[in-house]
Amino acid sequence: MTTCWYEGPLAAFDTETTGVDVETDRIVSAAVVVQDAPGIRPRVSRWLVNPGVPVPAEATAVHGLTEEHLRLNGRWPAPVMYEIAQALAEQAHAGRPVVVMNAPFDLTMLDRELRRHRASALGRWFESAPLSVLDPRVLDKHLDRYRKGRRTLTDLCAHYGVALDGAHDAAADATAALEVTRAVGRRFASRLERLAPGELHTLQAVWHAAQARGLQAWFARSGVDEVVDPAWPLRPDLPAAA
């Protein structure tokens, strides 16, 4: 019998950043976690980046990385972004799905950093082998859509009984997101087990767009002036100003 994707090999990717604007903020740390099967100790690759820009106190309060620490211990962004993209491309070539919690944030951050430092878009790394992304936030929201409450990684870990040690450390968050995704797969096995990761990738793009439309409508009713981007797992590049 073929192993279901949530009981097979998975990878996960996460970043910590200077802020939440994918167009202007920078990556300060990242991790790629690879687990060949449930319960097996994962292989972890970590990167620490000197972003070359100020690190706001609000960002340091979240992830604990100070501007001074990054200046002394971080590497220059250009080689790091290349290595991260290469690590993700390796997962695609191995046919290993990559878990990315709130994928449009982390993958778009990486894409903008690649454009900024290497004049290269993230998409070119997956021209020969497509990346299959699993986003536990999108999956959970679609499969358990009427559950009340927030759906941050901390919330999902609590809901699915996953330990989160060292929240806002890229490796810890990536590992927890991977375990949450396995838990989502098991809980909704009857709806997911027949889907291959590539099919699920396509479906998540549809589900996320619907979720974005719903949130946009709620914002409109609430008088909140905020635009929700329906693109998943990567936001398109903004057109250059005329």
Side-chain angles (χ1 to χ4, degrees), residues 214-232:
L215 182 58
Q216 191 74 74
W218 185 83
F219 279 160
R221 291 194 302 272
S222 307
V224 176
D225 186 24
E226 190 169 328
V227 177
V228 185
D229 196 321
W232 183 97

Side-chain angles (χ1 to χ4, degrees), residues 15-21 25-29 55-56 58-60 62-63 65 70 105-106 109 113:
T15 65
E16 298 300 330
T17 63
T18 60
V20 297
D21 187 330
D25 281 305
R26 309 297 175 90
I27 292 172
V28 296
S29 71
V55 179
E58 309 87 78
T60 298
V62 172
H63 49 60
L65 298 170
L70 293 167
F105 178 79
D106 293 84
M109 284 290 303
E113 289 278 51

Side-chain angles (χ1 to χ4, degrees), residues 53-82:
V53 299
V55 179
E58 309 87 78
T60 298
V62 172
H63 49 60
L65 298 170
T66 65
E67 188 172 328
E68 182 182 20
H69 178 75
L70 293 167
R71 191 169 63 246
L72 292 174
N73 301 285
R75 296 167 58 207
W76 289 113
V80 171
M81 300 313 151
Y82 179 94

Side-chain angles (χ1 to χ4, degrees), residues 6 23 28 35 41 60 71 80 90 97 99 104 124 129-130 144 177 181 213 238:
Y6 49 84
E23 302 300 339
V28 296
Q35 188 183 47
R41 187 181 181 90
T60 298
R71 191 169 63 246
V80 171
E90 287 170 8
V99 172
R124 71 164 286 268
D144 196 0
T181 302
R213 286 194 299 272
L238 290 177

